[in-house]
Amino acid sequence: MLKEQEAFARVLEDRYSELKFISRGGFGSVWSAINEKLKRPEALKIITYTADTPEEKKITQEKLVNEVMNQAKAHINIVTIYDYFFTETPESYLFVITME
């Protein structure tokens, strides 16, 4: 877990501080962090994925964006999504969803 946290902290350090692991599920892991730009706590859902080709990467990213867009439009009792973005570590691609 420490290696994963260090890798995430390196790629997210310009945006987030105080990264702390909360839980892991079948689709990714959830972390708490402080958004340095907005100076507020946020939850980060980090989904790690792989792609062997640029086309596969593009298709996977489109599916992830579709999923987060559907969630953002969902019922008001579902957590509010603030933002999403793609980044990567030397080992893998990351899709990060920021939420309340």
Side-chain angles (χ1 to χ4, degrees), residues 46-58:
I46 302 176
I47 299 167
T48 304
Y49 65 98
T50 58
D52 294 327
T53 66
E55 183 63 25
E56 186 179 345
K57 180 180 176 184
K58 180 180 182 228

Side-chain angles (χ1 to χ4, degrees), residues 36-74:
E36 285 300 313
K37 196 174 200 180
L38 299 174
K39 305 294 184 208
R40 70 176 177 196
E42 293 181 358
L44 306 178
K45 182 172 187 178
I46 302 176
I47 299 167
T48 304
Y49 65 98
T50 58
D52 294 327
T53 66
E55 183 63 25
E56 186 179 345
K57 180 180 176 184
K58 180 180 182 228
I59 290 168
T60 301
Q61 288 179 337
E62 287 172 354
K63 288 178 182 178
L64 290 167
V65 169
N66 263 348
E67 194 64 35
V68 79
M69 295 300 287
N70 287 333
Q71 186 178 346
K73 296 174 191 172

Side-chain angles (χ1 to χ4, degrees), residues 3 10 13 22 60 66-67 83 86:
K3 183 179 177 184
R10 274 194 306 279
E13 68 187 346
I22 296 174
T60 301
N66 263 348
E67 194 64 35
D83 195 10
F86 293 94

Side-chain angles (χ1 to χ4, degrees), residues 76-87:
I76 59 171
N77 290 334
I78 294 179
V79 68
T80 302
I81 295 175
Y82 296 139
D83 195 10
Y84 68 87
F85 58 94
F86 293 94
T87 188

